[in-house]
Amino acid sequence: GEVSDVRRNVDRLRPTLTFAPWNQEGWKTGLCAVPPVGKANALLCLANNTCVTSTFANLRDRFMKLYRCKAYKHHFTSEGMDESRFQTSLDSLLHIMDLYTDIAAAPGPAAPRMLVY
């Protein structure tokens, strides 16, 4: 039952995510036999795919909304953080978004990575 539940939820989520055309199976999921204390189940999902770009875009938008208003900035600068670190962090995020966008636009491998005989 548990594996079919995971498969059903993966199939439910797939249409809402944007994967690179050459990597439609962009995640691995594993069920853990030992759940956390007080929980009935445990699930680990490792994902590194281009659909994370929209999550980064949401993060950027929320950051910019707060940063324009200077919200919470004083908490960081009063503890000794240089204000330029905000811009550096934003630049790093934008660079990561560009990398994922480039990967998504890249053509897939021309030949199979591994031949199975």
Side-chain angles (χ1 to χ4, degrees), residues 3 8 25 35 37 61 78 86 97:
V3 173
R8 184 176 55 250
E25 297 294 326
V37 176
D61 295 344
S78 67
F86 290 107
M97 289 173 64

Side-chain angles (χ1 to χ4, degrees), residues 57-75:
N58 290 338
L59 180 64
R60 177 204 57 213
D61 295 344
R62 289 186 316 212
F63 170 81
M64 290 306 300
K65 183 178 179 181
L66 292 171
Y67 189 62
R68 273 190 229 107
C69 300
K70 307 287 188 218
Y72 306 108
K73 187 180 93 172
H74 63 282
H75 291 292

Side-chain angles (χ1 to χ4, degrees), residues 27-50:
W27 60 54
K28 300 292 180 204
T29 307
L31 287 172
C32 181
V34 182
V37 176
K39 302 294 180 186
N41 299 309
L43 175 75
L44 170 66
C45 179
L46 300 176
N48 184 13
N49 51 54
T50 55

Side-chain angles (χ1 to χ4, degrees), residues 13-105:
L13 287 173
R14 185 181 306 279
T16 65
L17 303 173
T18 305
F19 291 98
W22 46 267
N23 186 14
Q24 295 296 312
E25 297 294 326
W27 60 54
K28 300 292 180 204
T29 307
L31 287 172
C32 181
V34 182
V37 176
K39 302 294 180 186
N41 299 309
L43 175 75
L44 170 66
C45 179
L46 300 176
N48 184 13
N49 51 54
T50 55
C51 68
V52 77
T53 306
S54 62
T55 302
F56 289 147
N58 290 338
L59 180 64
R60 177 204 57 213
D61 295 344
R62 289 186 316 212
F63 170 81
M64 290 306 300
K65 183 178 179 181
L66 292 171
Y67 189 62
R68 273 190 229 107
C69 300
K70 307 287 188 218
Y72 306 108
K73 187 180 93 172
H74 63 282
H75 291 292
F76 297 97
T77 55
S78 67
E79 293 292 325
M81 183 175 150
D82 187 55
E83 192 171 338
S84 66
R85 297 289 300 265
F86 290 107
Q87 187 60 46
T88 303
S89 298
L90 179 60
D91 292 343
S92 296
L93 178 62
L94 294 174
H95 177 69
I96 291 170
M97 289 173 64
D98 288 342
L99 290 174
Y100 274 100
T101 301
D102 293 346
I103 290 169

